Amino acid sequence: MESLTQRAALLRESLQKSQSVTDAVVAILGSFDSRLSALDAAMRPIQVRTHAVRTAHENIDRTLRSADVILIQFDRTREAEREIQKGPHENLQGFLDAVDRLRSIERFFSSNRSYRSSDGVLNHVNALLSKALVKMEDEFQKQLSQRSKPIEPDRLFDCLPSTLRPSSESHPEGGKAGTHSENQQNSEAAVYSPPALIEPKFIPFLAKLAQQLVQAGCQQQCSEIYSEARASALESSLKHLGVEKLSKDEVQKMPWEILESKIGNWIHFMRIAVKLLFAGERQLCDQVFECSQSLRDTCFAAITKNSLATLLSFGEAIAMSKRSPEKLFVLLDMYEIMCELQADIDTIFVGESCSHMRDSALDLTKCLAQTAQKTFSDFEEAVEKDATKNIHTDGTVHPLTSYVINYVKFLFDYQSTLKQLFQGFKREDGTGSELATVTMSIMQALQNNLDAKAKQYKDPALMHIFLMNNIHYIVKSVRRYIFMKEGSKQYLNWSSSGCVGMI
């Protein structure tokens, strides 16, 4: 019992000591809290100053970075200005790069108008861009004027297929040698190579200038400069070739001998103009104005409008002139070349800007067809109504028979052309108008006329001999023609037939 009491006393004493230690520790910790509070209060001003210093440092860094960006823009502006002052003729790519840099600088300062110097820089940059545009316009005009030279006839002839090139044996004005059928076959199989209107190495230079002018909103000025230079070169090329600007009155008053030669030249000129010159202009427009489809079409239309109108005007004057049998074959030649070129015209003169020119060419084709069709009717009527009194007393072949047979034989050289011409066309009597039908009508008119002429003979025997000789001549001529066509392939020459008009 005493031992338990002693132990309890010891335990109580230990607890009392532990409580004393705890109270002492609590007191010490309480003094630390007050000291830390005092220390925190003392450190707070230092922390505020440190944060301010850090913020100021960051602001300085940002300002320096912004200043570097602005200084870079100033340096780029000075570099670009030096290139602009030099102009594009020395170093086009460097000049265009300088323009691009100025536009980039203009966008930078436009989006950062808060900079104090932004307005001044923008004004300076815009002034440089305006000066650059003027220099580009001047250079564009200068280069086009220097490079846009007329194409000489010999160079154009070299671009023609060999079968269509003028030679010492050809017509002196550039006409084709050989028969109509042979020439038609040659033209159908021909391959044309349009000439380079401007040296190829300069085309990228012009295309870059055009692109910059279009991007700057100078489409109108660019179009006018280009169209004026190229139209002048095109018209000069045609003039050197021999194309004349003739009014319809002048054409219709010309003697037939002169007009016939000019028609032959016109056919040659149309082929060269469409397949070489107009095709070359279209190709050049597409290359220079690759950046704008609308400019390609409008410029091409402006360049070729007058030249095409000059050519078509001559054809229209012929189509509207007084009809006569000897004009039928040149009308067929003109109709044939227009049909041959129609697909090229539709391809080259593409776009809304060229629609009027396409329509004008098609109208001429239709007008030539109508005139040729009416000439057939006129010829048939003239044959039937021919009132020539000078028949031979011996009943030999009448000159009218020889003339009509040679005329019909020449028609058969135009079979494919006439087939196309007669499509959908009906005669006044309601019959079809295939070549065979038309030929039979002409031959029937001839027979009716011969029957009337035969009655002028008082001797019945001589009358029948006259009819027999003429019919025999017709049959013999047709058989000889068929033999020559299918056998030797040697065609009759119209100029040597000796028939120059109605008797």
Side-chain angles (χ1 to χ4, degrees):
M1 193 66 180
E2 287 182 7
S3 63
L4 288 173
T5 302
Q6 290 176 351
R7 290 179 182 175
L10 289 172
L11 182 59
R12 188 179 301 109
E13 185 179 356
S14 298
L15 288 173
Q16 289 175 349
K17 290 180 179 179
S18 177
Q19 182 63 44
S20 299
V21 171
T22 299
D23 292 340
V25 169
V26 169
I28 292 171
L29 290 175
S31 66
F32 282 166
D33 184 58
S34 60
R35 291 177 183 176
L36 287 173
S37 297
L39 181 61
D40 181 61
M43 291 292 293
R44 190 169 293 114
I46 297 174
Q47 291 175 345
V48 170
R49 286 195 295 273
T50 302
H51 178 71
V53 170
R54 186 182 299 111
T55 301
H57 187 272
E58 291 174 354
N59 290 336
I60 292 171
D61 287 342
R62 280 196 297 270
T63 302
L64 290 174
R65 286 194 296 270
S66 298
D68 287 340
V69 172
I70 295 172
L71 290 174
I72 290 172
Q73 300 302 322
F74 279 118
D75 290 339
R76 295 179 69 202
T77 302
R78 284 193 294 270
E79 292 172 1
E81 185 172 5
R82 284 194 294 269
E83 292 293 334
I84 297 302
Q85 295 297 342
K86 293 178 184 177
H89 57 280
E90 292 185 6
N91 180 9
L92 175 64
Q93 192 56 54
F95 184 88
L96 298 180
D97 290 342
V99 173
D100 288 337
R101 285 198 298 272
L102 287 175
R103 289 186 177 139
S104 173
I105 294 167
E106 192 271 338
R107 289 192 296 270
F108 172 81
F109 282 103
S110 294
S111 60
N112 294 278
R113 300 301 291 266
S114 59
Y115 294 142
R116 182 178 301 176
S117 58
S118 60
D119 289 340
V121 176
L122 278 173
N123 292 336
H124 183 60
V125 168
N126 287 329
L128 288 175
L129 285 172
S130 297
K131 183 182 293 186
L133 284 176
V134 172
K135 288 179 176 289
M136 282 192 288
E137 283 185 18
D138 292 343
E139 187 67 18
F140 192 60
Q141 185 172 31
K142 176 183 174 183
Q143 290 296 327
L144 280 170
S145 299
Q146 290 179 348
R147 312 300 171 193
S148 296
K149 303 299 181 183
I151 307 298
E152 294 302 321
D154 288 343
R155 188 174 162 208
L156 288 172
F157 296 152
D158 289 339
C159 296
L160 290 171
S162 58
T163 54
L164 297 177
R165 292 175 189 170
S167 65
S168 58
E169 299 178 356
S170 301
H171 189 282
E173 292 298 325
K176 306 185 290 292
T179 68
H180 170 82
S181 298
E182 290 170 343
N183 289 327
Q184 185 179 20
Q185 292 173 358
N186 289 337
S187 64
E188 289 174 352
V191 176
Y192 297 82
S193 304
L197 305 180
I198 290 179
E199 290 183 68
K201 65 180 181 180
F202 293 109
I203 294 177
F205 182 97
L206 294 171
K208 289 179 180 178
L209 284 174
Q211 182 179 14
Q212 289 290 336
L213 291 172
V214 170
Q215 287 180 355
C218 301
Q219 292 94 330
Q220 184 66 27
Q221 299 92 316
C222 185
S223 175
E224 290 175 357
I225 292 171
Y226 183 85
S227 300
E228 182 179 351
R230 291 308 313 160
S232 176
L234 175 60
E235 291 172 11
S236 296
S237 297
L238 289 173
K239 184 177 180 180
H240 292 176
L241 188 64
V243 175
E244 301 176 84
K245 290 185 177 181
L246 299 171
S247 68
K248 293 180 180 179
D249 288 339
E250 289 175 325
V251 173
Q252 293 173 358
K253 290 178 182 178
M254 281 185 183
W256 172 243
E257 296 77 12
I258 298 176
L259 193 58
E260 187 177 19
S261 175
K262 289 188 178 294
I263 291 171
N265 293 336
W266 178 85
I267 292 170
H268 202 51
F269 297 157
M270 279 297 299
R271 183 179 284 115
I272 290 175
V274 173
K275 290 185 174 288
L276 298 182
L277 291 173
F278 294 160
E281 291 293 348
R282 166 55 75 176
Q283 185 178 18
L284 183 61
C285 273
D286 291 346
Q287 291 172 333
V288 173
F289 295 106
E290 187 179 3
C291 60
S292 173
Q293 178 66 53
S294 61
L295 271 182
R296 297 180 213 169
D297 295 342
T298 55
C299 285
F300 178 75
I303 292 165
T304 56
K305 180 180 179 180
N306 291 337
S307 296
L308 181 63
T310 299
L311 291 165
L312 296 182
S313 176
F314 179 85
E316 291 166 0
I318 299 298
M320 294 187 297
S321 63
K322 184 179 179 180
R323 298 192 299 272
S324 61
E326 67 269 16
K327 288 184 180 180
L328 176 60
F329 299 103
V330 295
L331 286 170
L332 292 176
D333 287 335
M334 295 172 71
Y335 172 76
E336 185 177 278
I337 191 64
M338 290 305 298
C339 290
E340 176 190 329
L341 298 176
Q342 193 62 53
D344 295 277
I345 291 173
D346 290 341
T347 301
I348 296 169
F349 291 85
V350 70
E352 184 63 28
S353 300
C354 299
S355 60
H356 176 69
M357 288 179 275
R358 292 196 304 272
D359 293 341
S360 297
L362 185 59
D363 289 343
L364 174 57
T365 305
K366 293 177 180 178
C367 187
L368 290 168
Q370 292 171 357
T371 304
Q373 290 161 1
K374 291 176 182 177
T375 304
F376 269 107
S377 300
D378 293 345
F379 179 68
E380 180 183 336
E381 183 179 354
V383 170
E384 187 159 9
K385 293 181 178 181
D386 179 74
T388 306
K389 300 293 184 181
N390 59 335
I391 59 173
H392 297 289
T393 57
D394 57 358
T396 54
V397 176
H398 194 278
L400 176 64
T401 304
S402 174
Y403 175 72
V404 171
I405 290 301
N406 279 284
Y407 199 91
V408 170
K409 284 191 292 188
F410 254 91
L411 289 179
F412 276 88
D413 272 344
Y414 290 84
Q415 288 188 64
S416 60
T417 303
L418 290 169
K419 182 179 180 180
Q420 186 173 3
L421 179 71
F422 288 143
Q423 284 178 350
F425 177 69
K426 290 189 176 182
R427 297 162 59 82
E428 293 180 359
D429 57 7
T431 61
S433 55
E434 290 295 333
L435 181 58
T437 304
V438 173
T439 304
M440 289 302 296
S441 298
I442 294 174
M443 297 307 296
Q444 184 62 53
L446 175 62
Q447 183 176 343
N448 294 340
N449 189 285
L450 291 174
D451 288 341
K453 283 180 169 52
K455 293 177 182 179
Q456 297 179 34
Y457 288 96
K458 296 179 180 181
D459 186 349
L462 197 58
M463 178 184 69
H464 290 295
I465 290 174
F466 171 77
L467 291 174
M468 181 182 66
N469 282 336
N470 280 275
I471 293 173
H472 179 261
Y473 175 82
I474 294 171
V475 173
K476 184 178 67 173
S477 297
V478 171
R479 284 179 176 174
R480 184 187 299 118
Y481 179 76
I482 293 174
F483 172 77
M484 294 173 70
K485 291 284 285 185
E486 296 182 351
S488 63
K489 299 295 184 182
Q490 296 297 314
Y491 298 87
L492 293 177
N493 191 319
W494 173 249
S495 62
S496 63
S497 67
C499 302
V500 295
M502 292 293 291
I503 303 299

